[in-house]
Amino acid sequence: MNRSIASKLILQVLLGAALMAPAFTTFAQDKKTSGNPVVEGWYADPEAQIFKHQYWLYPTYSAKYNEQVFMDAFSSPDLVHWTKHPHVIDTSGVKWVRRALWAPAVTEKDGKYYLFFGANDIQNNNEKGGIGVAVSDKPKGPFKDYLGKPLIDQIINKAQPIDQFVFKDDNGQYYMIYGGWGQCNIVKLKNDFTGVEPFDDGVTYKKITPEGYVEGPVMFKRKGKYYFMWSEGGWTGPDYRVAYAIGDTPFGPFKRIGTILKQDPSIATGAGHHSVINVPSTDEWYIVYHRRPLTETDANHRVMCIDKMYFDTDGTIKPVKITNEGVTARKLK
């Protein structure tokens, strides 16, 4: 091929690419649904929040334990278009963390943003790690170590200190519900988040483990009732799923009602470890969760998804239909 013909071919390719680029950009801007997964990459255990009229997602980076040394976050005005905020926290900002940085729980208090996390996957009370907390002035971080040590570093009531969820009750009290290894505790957080304090009965760690509980607790309040949700099954397997109970207090008692999120063999497997979004001043709810694509067998190949969550007239949660489409745009007022 002579140099003249080659030059013309290269020019044609470049012109074609230039013409296609605007179409691609327009397509992205005109996206009608979030699609599932909602973002590219391997992510799990998503925490969903609303800060500053934006939706925020804070997932675990789904990789081998020794590679889990940072977390990304994602923000969106409408649940459809997402912006990535890389490394909102990493081990440079929390020196005692060396691996297995897991399952963030993020809350805002007095103009500060607090990110609670599990770290190091401790197996006994002689190892350093557990549940820590980091703080930032912005929801996009960077988050830096708040205490210089774990908030909880002991295995109490046989609950591994991981998978923490922060729940603010109507009276302003913050609780933390946490636990792996099939056991769940609830603790009362100090007002400044520097530790936990005893309940009125003198007990500091209350065990609230329902039947079937494995990990990944979530709590929210709706119409005066406390909804307690958790994940069941093995996280590496196809039958990982979400179940729930309803109680009159944050302490239960919680009796398992049923499964509301699970695999669909035609769409994805291993649907679990979730959080929920309630659009303020409405009864609109979304469930954010991870699942494993049908093409994947690697335990760490998990992706982040969003679908609608509905309630029946008696207050029970209807089984969630997992989809490939995801959800339509829902801007915040």
Side-chain angles (χ1 to χ4, degrees), residues 6-251:
S7 298
K8 287 180 180 179
L9 287 172
I10 292 170
L11 181 60
Q12 287 174 353
V13 170
L14 291 173
L15 285 171
L19 289 171
M20 289 173 67
F24 176 79
T25 303
T26 302
F27 175 78
Q29 291 173 346
D30 291 343
K31 192 177 177 185
K32 299 299 182 185
T33 66
S34 65
N36 279 329
V38 294
V39 299
E40 293 182 0
W42 304 125
Y43 293 101
D45 318 330
E47 161 82 340
Q49 286 289 352
I50 295 175
F51 298 132
K52 296 184 179 294
H53 301 288
Q54 294 267 312
Y55 300 97
W56 286 83
L57 299 179
Y58 300 86
T60 299
Y61 172 55
S62 192
K64 295 178 180 178
Y65 290 5
N66 287 341
E67 297 173 17
Q68 293 176 315
V69 293
F70 69 89
M71 289 174 174
D72 298 328
F74 301 85
S75 63
S76 172
D78 59 6
L79 295 176
V80 171
H81 304 91
W82 292 92
T83 298
K84 181 178 180 179
H85 306 275
H87 287 228
V88 296
I89 184 172
D90 59 40
T91 49
S92 69
V94 192
K95 299 297 185 183
W96 57 268
V97 175
R98 60 182 181 83
R99 69 196 291 260
L101 187 60
W102 288 347
V106 187
T107 192
E108 185 273 334
K109 188 175 189 297
D110 301 329
K112 297 280 188 180
Y113 298 86
Y114 296 87
L115 188 153
F116 296 76
F117 56 87
N120 297 349
D121 184 33
I122 65 170
Q123 303 295 302
N124 57 65
N125 288 337
N126 297 318
E127 295 184 27
K128 187 169 185 178
I131 295 172
V133 56
V135 65
S136 176
D137 293 325
K138 299 175 182 179
K140 66 178 181 179
F143 289 88
K144 301 297 182 183
D145 195 359
Y146 183 51
L147 302 176
K149 61 181 181 179
L151 178 73
I152 297 176
D153 63 357
Q154 298 289 296
I155 297 164
I156 299 168
N157 295 331
K158 299 182 179 179
Q160 187 187 28
I162 62 168
D163 289 3
Q164 59 296 316
F165 181 83
V166 176
F167 171 69
K168 181 184 179 183
D169 208 348
D170 295 341
N171 63 2
Q173 177 63 54
Y174 288 83
Y175 300 98
M176 186 166 68
I177 303 105
Y178 76 91
W181 295 351
Q183 300 296 332
C184 185
N185 292 331
I186 185 170
V187 294
K188 184 178 180 182
L189 289 168
K190 290 184 177 180
N191 189 54
D192 58 2
F193 295 160
T194 58
V196 300
E197 57 189 16
F199 294 99
D200 292 340
D201 61 3
V203 175
T204 301
Y205 294 83
K206 284 185 182 291
K207 184 176 177 178
I208 58 169
T209 311
E211 177 190 359
Y213 176 93
V214 172
E215 60 192 14
V218 170
M219 185 175 288
F220 63 88
K221 196 172 183 180
R222 177 183 181 268
K223 297 187 177 181
K225 296 290 186 179
Y226 294 83
Y227 287 74
F228 180 35
M229 311 172 81
W230 62 90
S231 290
E232 299 178 340
W235 71 271
T236 62
D239 65 342
Y240 200 52
R241 59 194 180 273
V242 172
Y244 81 107
I246 302 174
D248 294 323
T249 76
F251 320 109

Side-chain angles (χ1 to χ4, degrees), residues 50 55 277-286 330-332:
I50 295 175
Y55 300 97
I277 299 171
N278 174 220
V279 178
S281 302
T282 76
D283 197 29
E284 296 178 51
W285 295 80
Y286 298 85
R330 180 57 164 95
K331 292 186 176 181
L332 295 166

